[in-house]
Amino acid sequence: MTEPAVSVSPYWELTFDADGDVDGRERDRLLDQVPRHKVRDLIVFTHGWNTDRSAATRLFSQFFEPVPGLAPTARLGYVGVVWPSMRFSDETIPDFPPSVAAGVTGDSASPLDGKTRHALLEVFPGRATVVEQIARLLDQQPDEGASLEEFGRLVRLLVEVRPQGPGVSFAADTLAEGVPESDPEMLFGDTATVCAEFAQALAGTAGPAFALPRLWDGALELLRQATYYAMKRRAGTVGERGLGRVVGQLAAAAPDVRVHLVGHSFGARLVSFALRGLPSGVRAVKSVTLLQGAFSHYAFAPRLPHDPRASGVLDGQYHRIDGPLVCCYSHFDSALGTVYPLASRMAGDDRSVVADFGIGSMLGAQWGAMGHDGVQAVPGTVSFTLAEALRTRLPVSGCVNVDAASVVCRGGAPAGAHSDICHRELAQVVLAAGRVR
């Protein structure tokens, strides 16, 4: 099997399924060829929103393109990690050529266009009837009330949430002592209330100040957030059960290779959970760089400021890196700055978020995302602007925050700059984090 054409060489891809099982042929080829190519530093990049392999490969190629020129004497190798995640077609991708963008943007005026329906079918196989029923309700937008409750039921069925109760987990990023995890309450409360809150949040960030929120706009956002929670859960599974194990196997096959993990959006969560999946004693990971990470900024915290019983689900895992964990973030990422904390709050509390906090203050600390304001509540975390990070030597261990808003700043509603990551400066950060020369 020939790897796809990309801007760099040598390049390999690793494909994982939803359970974290890797394509065995791809893995074996990687383990065989990395030593033969005399690779010293292997950069492993994980996407966050692609379903289409070719679109994912284009993203990898664009991000990797400046790297050889930035480290001309380094013995580099490159890996693109493909996993079954999805992207809604109304989320813009800055800097993609028109011919590429045309292949991944919407193709109709429907709230749930054909490409997004196809993406839902790809990442939730066996749910074709449910997807069509959801699409029909979003297209017709019948009278609110019973129709919205039916919509909520279908969304729960699509993402396979289970009844709430002890021992049920839905991708929580924090763990509380004595408090069982559960599926998001936003999927079990009154659907109309949840949709109204999402609609108000969207109207406040993307529409005129006088616009009245439409509940069906909130319904589309409920679907988006429900699928995001499913992808969030899946990212953790693929990282811990899949990528972590492969890195361990690579360390056995090529012990001198230095691995640098890079993840975008939920891919940042995936590479972070890969640390939990590393075999005991493996120190092959020399750096981890998170780009607009779509998970809690408290994920690595030993204790939460608002709840001393609770810790981040990845508490202490950054110590498994033989180098730093670098988190690049931007306040221009409206997907993580506004809707993410709203959805996170709803996931654990069915009271009105808008009423409790107000739109402006929803960006508060408790429900923030890594890609909006960086790693939080981890002692010793060092912070830089992007310019500072590029002109100084980064710490050789611990957590490092880099405010990348100077370059991660473009993109339309509803995601803002969430996917604006293909920049030479961010590639420089990856190399600096890994001390690649």
Side-chain angles (χ1 to χ4, degrees):
M1 175 178 172
T2 303
E3 294 294 347
V6 294
S7 58
V8 291
S9 179
Y11 171 81
W12 301 271
E13 282 185 359
L14 287 173
T15 304
F16 295 88
D17 66 16
D19 297 319
D21 293 325
V22 68
D23 182 307
R25 292 176 301 172
E26 292 180 341
R27 178 202 56 209
D28 293 346
R29 187 165 53 254
L30 176 74
L31 299 182
D32 174 64
Q33 293 185 3
V34 164
R36 288 205 274 154
H37 280 275
K38 296 182 171 24
V39 170
R40 173 63 171 160
D41 289 280
L42 187 70
I43 303 177
V44 181
F45 189 103
T46 303
H47 67 75
W49 43 253
N50 297 276
T51 52
D52 178 77
R53 185 187 185 99
S54 62
T57 300
R58 286 191 291 266
L59 174 66
F60 302 148
S61 182
Q62 187 168 343
F63 186 85
F64 286 145
E65 185 173 9
V67 173
L70 294 170
T73 62
R75 302 200 309 271
L76 292 166
Y78 308 84
V79 175
V81 173
V82 181
W83 63 289
S85 181
M86 75 164 290
R87 166 189 170 273
F88 277 67
S89 63
D90 59 354
E91 297 170 16
T92 55
I93 310 173
D95 289 337
F96 264 43
S99 60
V100 173
V104 291
T105 54
D107 57 4
S108 76
S110 168
L112 200 66
D113 63 24
K115 292 187 183 299
T116 301
R117 295 185 201 192
H118 177 73
L120 288 169
L121 293 172
E122 287 289 313
V123 297
F124 299 111
R127 293 290 188 272
T129 300
V130 176
V131 170
E132 289 310 310
Q133 289 174 316
I134 287 173
R136 189 178 306 114
L137 284 173
L138 286 172
D139 284 343
Q140 297 174 354
Q141 300 191 1
D143 55 323
E144 297 158 357
S147 298
L148 278 174
E149 285 303 316
E150 172 64 6
F151 180 83
R153 184 189 72 81
L154 291 168
V155 170
R156 290 193 295 272
L157 186 60
L158 176 69
V159 300
E160 298 180 291
V161 299
R162 295 153 294 198
Q164 292 177 297
V168 178
S169 173
F170 202 93
D173 281 336
T174 58
L175 298 174
E177 298 170 9
V179 179
E181 300 172 26
S182 63
D183 284 340
E185 291 183 20
M186 69 178 175
L187 297 177
F188 292 95
D190 179 70
T191 304
T193 300
V194 173
C195 290
E197 294 181 352
F198 277 131
Q200 185 173 344
L202 292 171
T205 60
F210 58 80
L212 294 175
R214 299 171 63 253
L215 295 190
W216 281 106
D217 290 340
L220 179 60
E221 190 60 34
L222 173 60
L223 173 64
R224 189 195 310 270
Q225 293 302 323
T227 60
Y228 280 4
Y229 269 89
M231 294 307 101
K232 181 177 179 179
R233 173 178 58 191
R234 186 176 291 177
T237 298
V238 175
E240 185 169 359
R241 299 181 185 174
L243 182 59
R245 292 178 181 176
V246 172
V247 172
Q249 293 166 339
L250 178 63
D256 293 332
V257 172
R258 308 171 75 249
V259 177
H260 310 281
L261 302 180
V262 185
H264 169 237
S265 188
F266 284 137
R269 191 175 197 267
L270 192 156
V271 298
S272 297
F273 270 74
L275 299 174
R276 288 212 316 194
L278 289 175
S280 177
V282 169
R283 302 291 288 172
V285 177
K286 303 302 179 181
S287 67
V288 174
T289 304
L290 311 179
L291 305 174
Q292 302 311 115
F295 62 118
S296 172
H297 56 195
Y298 291 137
F300 294 97
R303 286 290 178 267
L304 307 192
H306 57 277
D307 185 355
R309 302 173 305 158
S311 63
V313 71
L314 295 171
D315 173 22
Q317 291 298 320
Y318 61 90
H319 292 303
R320 305 208 65 186
I321 309 168
D322 189 20
L325 180 139
V326 178
C327 176
C328 296
Y329 67 93
S330 170
H331 66 272
F332 290 111
D333 188 335
S334 51
L336 299 184
T338 299
V339 179
Y340 178 92
L342 174 60
S344 296
R345 170 77 173 168
M346 285 192 203
D349 191 334
D350 60 3
R351 293 174 297 165
S352 169
V353 181
V354 176
D356 287 350
F357 290 102
I359 293 297
S361 58
M362 280 192 300
L363 310 181
Q366 186 167 354
W367 305 105
M370 192 84 61
H372 186 257
D373 60 3
V375 173
Q376 301 293 318
V378 175
T381 298
V382 181
S383 297
F384 298 100
T385 65
L386 181 59
E388 290 169 342
L390 295 180
R391 67 171 179 256
T392 190
R393 291 179 65 88
L394 295 180
V396 297
S397 63
C399 294
V400 180
N401 285 329
V402 176
D403 184 347
S406 60
V407 297
V408 181
C409 56
R410 292 173 297 161
H418 184 62
S419 293
D420 187 17
I421 61 165
C422 291
H423 296 282
R424 179 184 178 90
E425 294 88 345
L426 296 185
Q428 286 178 273
V429 169
V430 170
L431 295 174
R435 305 177 298 286
V436 178
R437 302 288 187 269

